[in-house]
Amino acid sequence: MAMKNVKNVREQTDKKLSALANYYQIDNKAPKICQLKGIEILPSKIAWQKYNWTKKYFSKKPKHGYFIWVKEQPKSVLFTCISLAKKNIRQTLQNLLVVENNLKVKLQGTCNTLKRNLEGFHKAIGKIVLKEGAVLKYEHIHSWGEKDVVQ
C-alpha cells in the first residue's frame, strides 16, 4: 500500500480545489474565476463598483471576497475555495450570494490553509439573498492549523 505524506496530500487537494472552484482565492491575491452560463461571479470589490444595489448588502466597501449572482438554473454544483498559503496573512472577506426567483442552487465552500503553522487570520462576513421560491443547499468545510485565528 502506497503511503502519502501530509504535504503531498495538501498539494494534491489544493490542485483539485483549484481545478473545481468557480471562485478560488489564495491569501489576498486576485482570484481565479471560472464563470458559468447564467451566473455572474466577481470579486466583491468589483461587484460593489459595478452594481450599486450591492451596497445595501455589504457592511462597507469590500476589499476581498466573492460575489455570486445566480440568474439562471445552474447545471452543476458551485464551488468556492479561499486558502491561506503564506505565514501571517490576514484575510478579511465580504461574500455575497444572490439567488434569483425559483432557482435551486447547491454551493460547496471551503476555507483552509495549504500548510501547517501559518499563524494566519481569516475573517469572513457572508450574506445570502434568496429571492422568492429560491432554494439553497449550502455546505462549508474549514481546515485550519492550531495557531490560525478564524472568525
Side-chain angles (χ1 to χ4, degrees), residues 56-68:
K56 71 180 177 184
Y57 297 111
F58 290 116
S59 57
K60 60 183 179 180
K61 184 177 181 180
K63 291 183 181 178
H64 302 285
Y66 61 76
F67 165 80
I68 300 175

Side-chain angles (χ1 to χ4, degrees), residues 9-11 16-17 29 34 36 43 56-57 61 64 66 79-80 83 85-86 89 95 97 100 103 106 108 114 122 148:
V9 170
R10 281 187 172 265
E11 287 173 359
K16 287 177 186 174
L17 288 172
K29 296 177 189 168
C34 175
L36 295 172
K56 71 180 177 184
Y57 297 111
K61 184 177 181 180
H64 302 285
Y66 61 76
F79 288 95
T80 63
S83 301
K86 293 182 182 164
I89 291 292
N95 302 320
L97 170 65
E100 289 297 332
L103 299 179
K106 291 182 183 178
Q108 174 68 58
L114 300 181
H122 172 89
D148 295 317

Side-chain angles (χ1 to χ4, degrees), residues 44-56:
S44 294
K45 180 179 177 179
I46 294 173
W48 168 278
Q49 295 165 346
K50 184 174 179 179
Y51 297 113
N52 197 42
W53 58 267
T54 65
K55 291 175 175 63
K56 71 180 177 184

Side-chain angles (χ1 to χ4, degrees), residues 61-78:
K61 184 177 181 180
K63 291 183 181 178
H64 302 285
Y66 61 76
F67 165 80
I68 300 175
W69 183 9
V70 184
K71 303 176 198 179
E72 295 178 19
Q73 182 61 51
K75 294 180 181 177
S76 61
V77 176
L78 302 175

